[in-house]
Amino acid sequence: MTDDYLSRIGNLIRDARKHRGWTQSQLAEVLNTSQSAVNRIEKGHQNLTLEMLARIGEALDSEIVSLGGGPVHLRVVGGLRLSGSIDVKSSKNAGVALLCASLLNKGRTTLRKVARIEEVNRLLEVLNSIGVKTTWLNDAGDLEIVPPAHLDLGAMDAAAARRTRSIIMFLGPILHREDTFQLPYAGGCDLGTRTVEPHMTALRPFGLEVKATAGEYHAIVNRAVTPTKPIVLTERGDTVTENALMAAARVDGVTVIRNASSNYMVQDLCFYLELLGVKVDGVGSTTLTVHGKAEIDVDVDYAPSEDPIEAMSLLTAAIVTGSEITIRRAPVEFLEIELALLEEMGLDYSRSDEYLAENGRTRLVDLTTRPSQLHAPIDKIHPMPFPGLNIDNLPFFAVIAASATGQTLIHDWVYENRAIYLTDLNKLGGRVKLLDPHRVMVEGPTHWSGAEIMCPPALRPAVVTLIAMMAAKGTSVLRSVYVINRGYEDLATRLNSLGAQIETFRDI
Ligand SMILES: CC(=O)N[C@H]1[C@@H](OP(=O)(O)OP(=O)(O)OC[C@H]2O[C@@H](n3ccc(=O)[nH]c3=O)[C@H](O)[C@@H]2O)O[C@H](CO)[C@@H](O)[C@@H]1O
Ligand SMILES: C=C(OP(=O)(O)O)C(=O)O
């Protein structure tokens, strides 16, 4: 948008706000942003995404800036080399876990540099609807959360809750606050059946019984029941481990959790719990020993670490566009296997010395890629719970393998219904053969060509499709990209800062 356009829109926004009788701070609160950001918008000093314009239009009930609430699409001019540097943002999965965990604390939680993504927005809508006060403190994404003395669970914004998988993580904290409560079924990516049974099994020793009927979980808590022996998780899932940790955090005593996930979001949650005064032994291992506290009432400040999946996404964009870029603040301990495999496939890159994330715990590096001709690995690629190749990073190997020479077998044993979305790459010239619901054979290299595609309803396959479009000669359109915005902040704008050409548009 030109400056002239921005100041005209800014004037319209200011007039519409005054017409409503609102101050800049009032509008900022509704938009979950800061007063200074509204001031800049009104002065025409702030670039505006169409998403933001639509939100302002809705907030002010103003036709002038309302662009309609239809789906957002991306138009990608592909075949361009990227250059420059980009910072990795904090992770979606730690962000949502910490929002849920803040319910354990009567005091104020301030989270630093939270990614401003739709998944976080939905959870904030849910938290606000039940009486939790949340405030974005600045444009850096610092977020303050103050829970009320009593949660109004009956007023929960069920529509927002249903759009996330993370709502399932309300079970652990809320079981300490309410004897009976209801939660809507969890949503999230459409990856085939995603069981919640391990959550129920893990939380039963804390007295939680859940019946699922008519789209809701009905929970009853028996306060006489507390864990008498180690909680053994039936699968090493991330959110189930987080639920067990949050349930254990407010048990007055020691709870042992075995077969726990030691993945990045779990570690961030453990570091946050430590700030709350809940000691957790064994962080980074599969046995966590939690020294809980019945009452938690402290004001704490925590900075969740950088997102390994976003780092992998950026790495993939660099590889398939044959670009030299620097990906700063990559959480290397959660990318070790991915990097080792990419080295084996012929990737030329360098990494800086390690430094610590703001949480003082997570190790980061800057990665600089160089254009490389990759070849297929000898063995199949498959994910494993951490410290294996990350389950959410697997889809990126499909588009990397498609750019490499030779045949790569990718085995997604985890999700019943995710590998199929990788065949969307064929619409862009890829040769991806679905062998069965869990395995694809990818043949490379690919001469990518532009196409118009509906976004698959799953975050990572959607980003994989976008990245292939960036490599494809010509113009592509990716329709309905809410699913991408669920997990990435301003991805198009940030890729454009590296030289990509991605335009956001709506059907008006
Ligand atoms: C909000 C959040 O943090 N979401 C992440 C979390 O979801 P979440 O923890 O909800 O993952 P799920 O419970 O859906 O587990 C993922 C899948 O793996 C299977 N499974 C998992 C572990 C195991 O030991 N055995 C097994 O079979 C499950 O049955 C399921 O099909 O973890 C997933 C797997 O890392 C990631 O894709 C999600 O991004
Ligand atoms: C599957 C994912 O997320 P969720 O658990 O939020 O659906 C993901 O992040 O790739």
Side-chain angles (χ1 to χ4, degrees), residues 92-93 119 165 188-189 191 194 392 415 459-460 486:
K92 149 179 157 284
N93 288 346
E119 187 79 352
R165 165 90 174 159
C189 286
L191 304 168
R194 291 177 75 181
D392 290 340
Y415 288 117
L459 174 56
R460 309 308 167 182
R486 203 166 83 72

Side-chain angles (χ1 to χ4, degrees), residues 330-363:
V332 66
E333 56 195 291
F334 302 104
L335 286 164
E336 291 287 11
I337 316 290
E338 286 80 345
L339 288 170
L341 180 55
L342 288 170
E343 274 173 43
E344 195 188 306
M345 292 175 75
L347 178 66
D348 181 16
Y349 76 102
S350 56
R351 40 173 123 177
S352 70
D353 288 341
E354 290 181 2
Y355 54 97
L356 287 179
E358 273 175 47
N359 65 12
R361 312 289 276 269
T362 311
R363 291 183 285 118

